[in-house]
Amino acid sequence: MNASVSFRSLLVFISVAVIATFLVPFVSHAQTTCTFTRTLSLGDEGEDVLCLQKYLNTTDHKIAAAGVGSPGNETTSYGSLTEAAVLAWQQANGVAGANGNFGPGSQAKYKEVSAAAPVAQNESEVDHLLSIVSGLQAQLDAATPQPTVPATVTTPTPQVAGASTYAKSEAQKGAEKRIMDAVEMILDAFGEVDDLREDDPDEASDIDEDVRDAIETLFDSLESYFDEDYSSAEEDADSALDDATSAFEDAGGESDATEAEDLLDDVEDLYDDVVDLFEEAEDKDEDTGDAEDLIDEAADLLDDAQEAFKDKVYRQAISDALDAQELLEDAEDEIDLVSDKDAEKYVEDIWDMYDDAEEEIDDADADGEDVDDSLDLLDDAKRALKRADIAVDEEEFEDAIDEAEEAEDLIDEALDAIGGSKGDESDAEEALDDAWKEYKDARDELYNAEDDDEDVGDAWDYLGDAKDALNDAEDAMEDEDYDEVMDLVDDALKAIEDALDEL
């Protein structure tokens, strides 16, 4: 058999661990009670005897360790093994007159003990899972080499060209990796369901069923693996992973799969936008710098991310997608092109700025302040904005931007003439620029750490939060909400600090 014994041992261990984890909520949330209407003793037959034997097999006083009467092999006959187990149970629980007969005193103690320590309801299901593990263990034992007596003379075995000692095939490696992925997700699902159980036990119970399905499929995968049918093993492990992921998300968790899928969608949209921008710039003979090379590199990374996602290597997909996003943003910065939408939006924003300034100057005039210089500057700004509107209509977008920029400067000067908010703007702009530098330095540190194979933990997530905050700060800057800019800069710096703390 080609499957390595060490990995077989690991899989058997995994099977036991998964079942043990599974039984915790299953046992604690389901109770079984036996109904006794008579004293049971040696020679009795009936379903009540069967129930008693099943109960005893959940305690330290089992009917038998193996064979007839052992867990999963209970009978309806009250024989000597049952009598001995009952006697041991009676003595352990302090039943008066312990004699191996299960009478009123023992039945009263049973109710007391079983109420305090409920047992699993669906014994057959648990037994089925345990029997699978037993079967896997038997295969493991059969595959384990037995010690041999070394020969007195060792004759070297000639090596045939093309032959080699045991090495795992790609199919086997693929099956092993997918099995481990499925196990990890099943255990994550258990944890998420346990968190949900207190708030919504009914929903948790429904999701338990989905996790059980994932476990059953995982065991199908393990059996195929031990039969060296690695293709079926990987296929079943894939199904188990999908079922466990669905259960994990239904219980309130956010899986790497969902995060990767959402990020890929966003980066693919960004890629399309940047390619459109690049083609437009080329058509207009505008400077595109290194944009083409950056776009090509981003496309390769995006392909890698999509391939990793297809192979369910979600963390790698996320990493590649983030790298592609960074390159696309750099490419966007390289393209010296002002589109009609950019120009129209900018001119509209400066008109809004003009309206706000006009209202502020009117208020200052009403308060008796000298606003003559401010009004003159505002008139100049208005004329510049009208020229910008004409340039937009004539599709001279660069000229429109230039005129709008002149109007913006004039508006700032008009506000300065009455003690306007230029000082606040300058502080906000400086703080924002410094925060972007902090972000880029932190990003470089993370790249270096990954190149050195260091564990970066959740650093990329924190850095993503910082970038979002800085982008929001840019929007607030355009809206002249300088207090909001400062608050967002503080949030970004805190996230950057958290990212660096992860290293």
Side-chain angles (χ1 to χ4, degrees), residues 446-458:
L446 288 184
Y447 280 133
N448 291 334
E450 286 192 331
D451 289 342
D452 293 336
D453 292 328
E454 293 181 21
D455 181 13
V456 298
D458 296 326

PDB file of all heavy atoms in Angstrom, residues 446-458:
ATOM      1  N   LEU A 446       5.611  44.738   5.904  1.00  0.00           N
ATOM      2  CA  LEU A 446       4.865  43.480   5.777  1.00  0.00           C
ATOM      3  C   LEU A 446       5.383  42.656   4.598  1.00  0.00           C
ATOM      4  O   LEU A 446       5.517  41.434   4.704  1.00  0.00           O
ATOM      5  CB  LEU A 446       3.369  43.756   5.611  1.00  0.00           C
ATOM      6  CG  LEU A 446       2.621  44.250   6.844  1.00  0.00           C
ATOM      7  CD1 LEU A 446       1.148  44.369   6.542  1.00  0.00           C
ATOM      8  CD2 LEU A 446       2.821  43.302   8.000  1.00  0.00           C
ATOM      9  N   TYR A 447       5.660  43.330   3.486  1.00  0.00           N
ATOM     10  CA  TYR A 447       6.210  42.606   2.338  1.00  0.00           C
ATOM     11  C   TYR A 447       7.540  41.948   2.710  1.00  0.00           C
ATOM     12  O   TYR A 447       7.797  40.786   2.373  1.00  0.00           O
ATOM     13  CB  TYR A 447       6.422  43.554   1.154  1.00  0.00           C
ATOM     14  CG  TYR A 447       5.180  43.868   0.374  1.00  0.00           C
ATOM     15  CD1 TYR A 447       4.854  45.172   0.022  1.00  0.00           C
ATOM     16  CD2 TYR A 447       4.319  42.852  -0.037  1.00  0.00           C
ATOM     17  CE1 TYR A 447       3.708  45.464  -0.701  1.00  0.00           C
ATOM     18  CE2 TYR A 447       3.178  43.122  -0.768  1.00  0.00           C
ATOM     19  CZ  TYR A 447       2.874  44.442  -1.098  1.00  0.00           C
ATOM     20  OH  TYR A 447       1.737  44.725  -1.807  1.00  0.00           O
ATOM     21  N   ASN A 448       8.388  42.687   3.410  1.00  0.00           N
ATOM     22  CA  ASN A 448       9.683  42.136   3.819  1.00  0.00           C
ATOM     23  C   ASN A 448       9.510  40.952   4.764  1.00  0.00           C
ATOM     24  O   ASN A 448      10.229  39.951   4.681  1.00  0.00           O
ATOM     25  CB  ASN A 448      10.528  43.222   4.491  1.00  0.00           C
ATOM     26  CG  ASN A 448      10.972  44.302   3.503  1.00  0.00           C
ATOM     27  OD1 ASN A 448      11.075  44.041   2.304  1.00  0.00           O
ATOM     28  ND2 ASN A 448      11.234  45.501   3.994  1.00  0.00           N
ATOM     29  N   ALA A 449       8.546  41.083   5.682  1.00  0.00           N
ATOM     30  CA  ALA A 449       8.301  39.996   6.636  1.00  0.00           C
ATOM     31  C   ALA A 449       7.843  38.736   5.912  1.00  0.00           C
ATOM     32  O   ALA A 449       8.272  37.621   6.234  1.00  0.00           O
ATOM     33  CB  ALA A 449       7.266  40.425   7.674  1.00  0.00           C
ATOM     34  N   GLU A 450       6.953  38.889   4.929  1.00  0.00           N
ATOM     35  CA  GLU A 450       6.481  37.725   4.174  1.00  0.00           C
ATOM     36  C   GLU A 450       7.606  37.107   3.350  1.00  0.00           C
ATOM     37  O   GLU A 450       7.696  35.885   3.222  1.00  0.00           O
ATOM     38  CB  GLU A 450       5.320  38.125   3.272  1.00  0.00           C
ATOM     39  CG  GLU A 450       4.020  38.360   4.029  1.00  0.00           C
ATOM     40  CD  GLU A 450       2.823  38.464   3.099  1.00  0.00           C
ATOM     41  OE1 GLU A 450       3.013  38.909   1.941  1.00  0.00           O
ATOM     42  OE2 GLU A 450       1.719  38.109   3.531  1.00  0.00           O
ATOM     43  N   ASP A 451       8.480  37.967   2.800  1.00  0.00           N
ATOM     44  CA  ASP A 451       9.619  37.436   2.043  1.00  0.00           C
ATOM     45  C   ASP A 451      10.533  36.609   2.933  1.00  0.00           C
ATOM     46  O   ASP A 451      11.175  35.659   2.471  1.00  0.00           O
ATOM     47  CB  ASP A 451      10.416  38.592   1.421  1.00  0.00           C
ATOM     48  CG  ASP A 451       9.661  39.254   0.278  1.00  0.00           C
ATOM     49  OD1 ASP A 451       8.718  38.624  -0.251  1.00  0.00           O
ATOM     50  OD2 ASP A 451      10.012  40.388  -0.087  1.00  0.00           O
ATOM     51  N   ASP A 452      10.588  36.968   4.223  1.00  0.00           N
ATOM     52  CA  ASP A 452      11.411  36.224   5.185  1.00  0.00           C
ATOM     53  C   ASP A 452      10.650  35.071   5.824  1.00  0.00           C
ATOM     54  O   ASP A 452      11.107  34.482   6.813  1.00  0.00           O
ATOM     55  CB  ASP A 452      11.911  37.167   6.284  1.00  0.00           C
ATOM     56  CG  ASP A 452      12.889  38.210   5.749  1.00  0.00           C
ATOM     57  OD1 ASP A 452      13.516  37.962   4.702  1.00  0.00           O
ATOM     58  OD2 ASP A 452      13.007  39.283   6.384  1.00  0.00           O
ATOM     59  N   ASP A 453       9.456  34.762   5.285  1.00  0.00           N
ATOM     60  CA  ASP A 453       8.614  33.665   5.796  1.00  0.00           C
ATOM     61  C   ASP A 453       8.222  33.858   7.257  1.00  0.00           C
ATOM     62  O   ASP A 453       8.077  32.894   8.015  1.00  0.00           O
ATOM     63  CB  ASP A 453       9.323  32.310   5.630  1.00  0.00           C
ATOM     64  CG  ASP A 453       9.457  31.921   4.177  1.00  0.00           C
ATOM     65  OD1 ASP A 453       8.579  32.284   3.380  1.00  0.00           O
ATOM     66  OD2 ASP A 453      10.449  31.242   3.855  1.00  0.00           O
ATOM     67  N   GLU A 454       8.064  35.118   7.652  1.00  0.00           N
ATOM     68  CA  GLU A 454       7.614  35.402   9.012  1.00  0.00           C
ATOM     69  C   GLU A 454       6.088  35.341   9.071  1.00  0.00           C
ATOM     70  O   GLU A 454       5.395  35.596   8.090  1.00  0.00           O
ATOM     71  CB  GLU A 454       8.091  36.790   9.462  1.00  0.00           C
ATOM     72  CG  GLU A 454       9.599  36.903   9.621  1.00  0.00           C
ATOM     73  CD  GLU A 454      10.013  38.291  10.089  1.00  0.00           C
ATOM     74  OE1 GLU A 454       9.151  38.988  10.660  1.00  0.00           O
ATOM     75  OE2 GLU A 454      11.174  38.679   9.873  1.00  0.00           O
ATOM     76  N   ASP A 455       5.577  35.026  10.248  1.00  0.00           N
ATOM     77  CA  ASP A 455       4.134  35.001  10.466  1.00  0.00           C
ATOM     78  C   ASP A 455       3.645  36.437  10.671  1.00  0.00           C
ATOM     79  O   ASP A 455       4.043  37.111  11.624  1.00  0.00           O
ATOM     80  CB  ASP A 455       3.809  34.149  11.702  1.00  0.00           C
ATOM     81  CG  ASP A 455       2.317  34.070  11.957  1.00  0.00           C
ATOM     82  OD1 ASP A 455       1.527  34.451  11.062  1.00  0.00           O
ATOM     83  OD2 ASP A 455       1.939  33.639  13.059  1.00  0.00           O
ATOM     84  N   VAL A 456       2.791  36.908   9.773  1.00  0.00           N
ATOM     85  CA  VAL A 456       2.312  38.290   9.890  1.00  0.00           C
ATOM     86  C   VAL A 456       0.932  38.370  10.534  1.00  0.00           C
ATOM     87  O   VAL A 456       0.363  39.456  10.650  1.00  0.00           O
ATOM     88  CB  VAL A 456       2.284  38.974   8.503  1.00  0.00           C
ATOM     89  CG1 VAL A 456       3.671  39.040   7.915  1.00  0.00           C
ATOM     90  CG2 VAL A 456       1.330  38.244   7.555  1.00  0.00           C
ATOM     91  N   GLY A 457       0.384  37.226  10.946  1.00  0.00           N
ATOM     92  CA  GLY A 457      -0.902  37.235  11.650  1.00  0.00           C
ATOM     93  C   GLY A 457      -1.984  37.950  10.862  1.00  0.00           C
ATOM     94  O   GLY A 457      -2.179  37.736   9.665  1.00  0.00           O
ATOM     95  N   ASP A 458      -2.683  38.884  11.528  1.00  0.00           N
ATOM     96  CA  ASP A 458      -3.772  39.641  10.894  1.00  0.00           C
ATOM     97  C   ASP A 458      -3.299  41.000  10.396  1.00  0.00           C
ATOM     98  O   ASP A 458      -4.109  41.917  10.211  1.00  0.00           O
ATOM     99  CB  ASP A 458      -4.926  39.830  11.889  1.00  0.00           C
ATOM    100  CG  ASP A 458      -5.566  38.515  12.287  1.00  0.00           C
ATOM    101  OD1 ASP A 458      -5.633  37.620  11.441  1.00  0.00           O
ATOM    102  OD2 ASP A 458      -6.001  38.410  13.433  1.00  0.00           O
TER     103      ASP A 458
END
